[in-house]
Amino acid sequence: MTVDLVVKHATVVTPDGKVPDAGIAIDDGTIVSLGRSGQLPDAERTIDANGSVVVPGVIDTHIHNREPGLEYKGDWESATRAAAAGGVTTVVGMPNTDPVIDRPEALELKFERGEAAAHVDFQSYAVVTSENVDRIPALDAAGALGFKIFLGSTVGDVPAPTDGEILDAMTAIRETGKRLGFHEENGEIIDHYERQYRAAGKNRPIDHAHSRPVLAEREAVERMITFASDRDVPIHMFHVSSGDAADAVARGKERGVDVTAETAPHYLWFTESVLEEKGNVARVQPPIRSTDQHERLWEQFSAGVIDCIATDHAPHTDEEKLVDDPFGDTWAAISGFVGLETQVPAMLTFVDEGRLELEEWVYHHSTRPAQVWGMYPQKGSLRIGTDADLTIVDTDEAWTLEDRHALHSKNTVTPFEGESFVGRAHTTIVRGQVVYEDGRVTGEPGDGTRVDVD
Ligand code: NCD
Ligand code: ZN
Ligand code: ZN
């Protein structure tokens, strides 16, 4: 038997451990065997990994792909090109597009655009607002991966439903078997302080961070855990930024609530001093926190409380980010920055520093996200018969992101410019197709497809 592709002489790493001098055989987009390098079948093409680490394809379940409607910021093609170049094989798009993804027609349009343009596999959340609780079954049937509620105002100004409407939404989502995630900041608290800060003329980048206190995040986590425990619905906390919010997630898990959480590399890498160094470039919601909150977030991440790593990749133009005047009036700047191509390097740098094991990285960045969002074992497992999504990484390469314009996103503002890393992805394989190698995106728009979930 001759298969399509064999990757050999790799150290294959899964959450279960590391296997040296191993390889993977792929046919028709699927993993057909795993074994020692010498025992794999013949192939049309063989990639000699030369001792590199091969892991189940990295999954980023939090990107703002911006399409439909906000293509001036980014689109499916540019986001998934960046994903391929960053070693990411599946992405999940957020619903704060234009139109917002609040009805089946909008979701179908988003999927159609993705089928035409994506370099890697993709999915999307549907949003729940005051207006569309009755459309939850239809959004489920149209194939949404899960649901999202914005509790506090953020980019896109999607209004938060009332607490009563959230309870109704939870009852409806429970019937779908899917998970409900939150932008968890208490909207009344952050709106109140924003008004107060603006009136007092506090307009530095760090003032924006302080106007959205940790308390607003923690309270939102606790309230949603209380609601979910009553309605018996699985929930998820997007972009957990603080030790206090992580502690609240831990308490929810201890109580037996099905609450999962993610954090982003920027919360693990930076503390709020980055706002004094890089200004509005590092402005994000929720904000990058104090050293104390950052260290306690790390403690909870190390303890396993945070399930997933996801970027919150959020491209904006240089003008929107006030790049020419990074310390200008923060209320004129927008929140969010790109992350697809710096997440694997950041996490591998933490591995290099001894802050986590490679197996733990794979768990949080591939296996666990697939489980949380119902894509496992098709994604995130490396099991025979599943999608042949692989990320091949060099764990030793030391490098610096000298110039953000080398990134593949349409807009490239990131606080990681100028940061130094150890490790990066050098080859990305989606369902057996090499979409990135040797510094080049080798796939075509449309290679990616929607991940089907029931
Ligand atoms: C996100 C965006 O730009 O869409 N911005 C951000 O600061 N995180 C919105 C969000 O995730 O809340
Ligand atoms: Zn958010
Ligand atoms: Zn986001």
Side-chain angles (χ1 to χ4, degrees):
M1 175 192 179
T2 301
V3 300
D4 293 339
L5 177 67
V6 157
V7 178
K8 63 174 159 187
H9 301 306
T11 298
V12 176
V13 180
T14 67
D16 299 328
K18 296 191 186 83
V19 186
D21 195 21
I24 295 169
I26 298 164
D27 203 49
D28 222 2
T30 299
I31 295 174
V32 292
S33 69
L34 295 148
R36 293 210 173 273
S37 294
Q39 297 170 333
L40 294 163
D42 291 336
E44 301 287 337
R45 182 177 173 198
T46 298
I47 294 176
D48 188 333
N50 231 327
S52 289
V53 166
V54 173
V55 302
V58 170
I59 299 174
D60 189 346
T61 53
H62 189 153
I63 75 157
H64 295 270
N65 67 287
R66 306 299 193 203
E67 185 172 1
L70 300 171
E71 288 84 355
Y72 75 96
K73 292 178 191 276
D75 56 30
W76 272 127
E77 199 281 328
S78 56
T80 55
R81 172 180 289 273
V88 176
T89 56
T90 300
V91 295
V92 186
M94 282 294 169
N96 58 340
T97 46
D98 183 13
V100 291
I101 310 303
D102 68 348
R103 62 197 66 212
E105 299 73 28
L107 183 63
E108 280 152 15
L109 174 64
K110 185 167 180 178
F111 285 153
E112 262 169 44
R113 299 282 192 91
E115 291 294 345
H119 291 268
V120 305
D121 285 356
F122 61 90
Q123 248 293 354
S124 177
Y125 302 104
V127 76
V128 179
T129 66
S130 297
E131 314 291 315
N132 76 337
V133 175
D134 58 334
R135 286 199 290 265
I136 287 170
L139 285 159
D140 170 40
L145 187 68
F147 294 89
K148 174 161 191 183
I149 288 179
F150 291 89
L151 294 173
S153 61
T154 188
V155 175
D157 291 327
V158 181
T162 63
D163 284 351
E165 289 161 347
I166 293 170
L167 289 169
D168 286 349
M170 285 182 168
T171 302
I173 291 169
R174 187 204 148 119
E175 295 304 309
T176 70
K178 289 179 179 168
R179 192 172 288 272
L180 168 60
F182 299 93
H183 177 106
E184 65 279 17
E185 288 185 290
N186 176 311
E188 291 183 17
I189 295 177
I190 58 179
D191 289 353
H192 170 79
Y193 284 113
E194 179 175 331
R195 279 192 300 273
Q196 217 174 64
Y197 275 56
R198 279 173 178 262
K202 292 181 173 176
N203 63 1
R204 296 172 308 150
I206 197 129
D207 294 325
H208 167 266
H210 293 165
S211 78
R212 304 176 83 103
V214 167
L215 178 63
E217 185 182 26
R218 174 184 150 189
E219 189 280 339
V221 173
E222 288 175 341
R223 182 162 35 105
M224 289 309 112
I225 285 173
T226 303
F227 286 12
S229 123
D230 186 78
R231 294 299 145 116
D232 198 18
V233 65
I235 57 168
H236 179 79
M237 298 300 156
F238 291 118
H239 49 40
V240 169
S241 67
S242 63
D244 282 8
D247 290 348
V249 171
R251 287 193 295 273
K253 288 187 182 214
E254 278 159 23
R255 276 169 58 192
V257 176
D258 185 353
V259 53
T260 56
E262 76 189 32
T263 190
H266 47 268
Y267 301 117
L268 297 174
W269 189 275
F270 297 110
T271 64
E272 67 178 15
S273 63
V274 70
L275 290 156
E276 311 277 19
E277 289 152 24
K278 304 193 183 192
N280 289 309
V281 165
R283 185 194 203 263
V284 65
Q285 287 158 195
I288 293 169
R289 305 293 191 183
S290 68
T291 304
D292 172 56
Q293 291 291 341
H294 161 90
E295 283 174 358
R296 291 196 299 104
L297 174 65
W298 255 107
E299 278 169 31
Q300 291 291 22
F301 178 57
S302 301
V305 165
I306 306 292
D307 298 85
C308 310
I309 295 292
T311 56
D312 196 5
H313 175 88
H316 298 290
T317 64
D318 287 14
E319 294 71 32
E320 288 173 315
K321 288 296 291 176
L322 296 193
V323 166
D324 290 342
D325 184 18
F327 294 94
D329 180 359
T330 197
W331 305 111
I334 200 162
S335 284
F337 42 74
V338 299
L340 274 163
E341 291 172 79
T342 47
Q343 63 185 323
V344 169
M347 297 312 293
L348 288 175
T349 303
F350 296 139
V351 172
D352 181 67
E353 291 168 349
R355 302 194 72 162
L356 79 160
E357 298 296 328
L358 268 177
E359 292 92 328
E360 292 171 317
W361 167 59
V362 174
Y363 176 75
H364 291 296
H365 222 160
S366 178
T367 302
R368 191 65 186 142
Q371 290 170 343
V372 164
W373 294 106
M375 298 185 281
Y376 188 86
Q378 181 187 357
K379 304 293 189 191
S381 78
L382 287 193
R383 287 201 197 149
I384 290 171
T386 67
D387 288 355
D389 297 343
L390 307 180
T391 304
I392 310 183
V393 301
D394 181 336
T395 53
D396 298 323
E397 188 186 339
W399 65 286
T400 301
L401 180 61
E402 306 277 5
D403 180 3
R404 65 185 170 93
H405 297 98
L407 300 173
H408 295 75
S409 297
K410 193 177 278 187
N411 285 289
T412 56
V413 181
T414 169
F416 283 100
E417 187 174 38
E419 299 295 311
S420 295
F421 306 94
V422 179
R424 74 198 312 173
H426 65 71
T427 305
T428 310
I429 299 174
V430 178
R431 282 173 293 99
Q433 193 186 342
V434 178
V435 297
Y436 176 78
E437 67 183 327
D438 299 331
R440 281 191 325 114
V441 174
T442 50
E444 297 294 327
D447 286 344
T449 192
R450 170 165 70 103
V451 183
D452 270 318
V453 286
D454 334 309

